[in-house]
Amino acid sequence: MDFSPSSPFQALGCGCFILLMVCAGVGVVLLMSSVKRMEPYEVATKSVKANPAAVATLGEPIEVSWFVSGNFSFKGSQNGEASLRIPVSGPKGKGKVYVEGKKTDGTWTYGVLHLQIDGQKRIALDVEPQLAPAPAH
């Protein structure tokens, strides 16, 4: 069988498609990397791993999926919003961590932070003390 393209334009089209797919893949990886450096992601993943009820339900170790879904927007470096859904799993089960936060004047506050176990209960999570803003004096 001859799989060679019948014209140079077909070869060029195939090469462009491959290049486009590689660029899209690199874009997804870069986007996921930037989301994982955001404070709401860090707060959510550390909180679920430190929560005794989450550990008892999912088992240890709790693994965090590389693919995160949700929305985020920023207005400069000091203000923004994030709403993320982070899949997690352990030896006993799996679920999703939901976090919604708002950044105002450089400080994040969280309206939603919980673990939803697939087909079961919701576990409220606390902001890790080391990531919470210091109390005002």
Side-chain angles (χ1 to χ4, degrees):
M1 292 189 148
D2 182 17
F3 290 106
S4 61
S6 60
S7 76
F9 294 110
Q10 284 180 324
L12 181 62
C14 182
C16 287
F17 178 74
I18 291 171
L19 181 61
L20 180 65
M21 291 294 104
V22 169
C23 289
V26 168
V28 168
V29 169
L30 291 174
L31 180 62
M32 289 297 119
S33 296
S34 67
V35 168
K36 291 180 179 183
R37 288 191 305 266
M38 291 174 42
E39 184 180 309
Y41 176 88
E42 292 179 7
V43 166
T45 56
K46 287 182 179 184
S47 295
V48 72
K49 290 179 178 182
N51 185 285
V55 171
T57 303
L58 297 176
E60 284 188 285
I62 294 176
E63 300 290 333
V64 179
S65 172
W66 72 273
F67 189 78
V68 178
S69 60
N71 301 304
F72 57 91
S73 65
F74 292 97
K75 298 171 186 97
S77 62
Q78 297 296 307
N79 299 296
E81 296 180 357
S83 176
L84 305 175
R85 185 173 59 238
I86 307 164
V88 294
S89 63
K92 297 180 183 178
K94 58 185 177 177
K96 292 176 185 67
V97 178
Y98 292 86
V99 59
E100 291 181 11
K102 184 173 184 175
K103 186 177 185 183
T104 306
D105 296 327
T107 302
W108 283 98
T109 56
Y110 300 95
V112 172
L113 182 57
H114 68 266
L115 168 65
Q116 180 68 49
I117 304 298
D118 288 353
Q120 295 181 23
K121 60 186 172 183
R122 177 185 293 185
I123 299 172
L125 302 173
D126 295 321
V127 175
E128 284 283 303
Q130 69 269 17
L131 293 175
H137 292 279

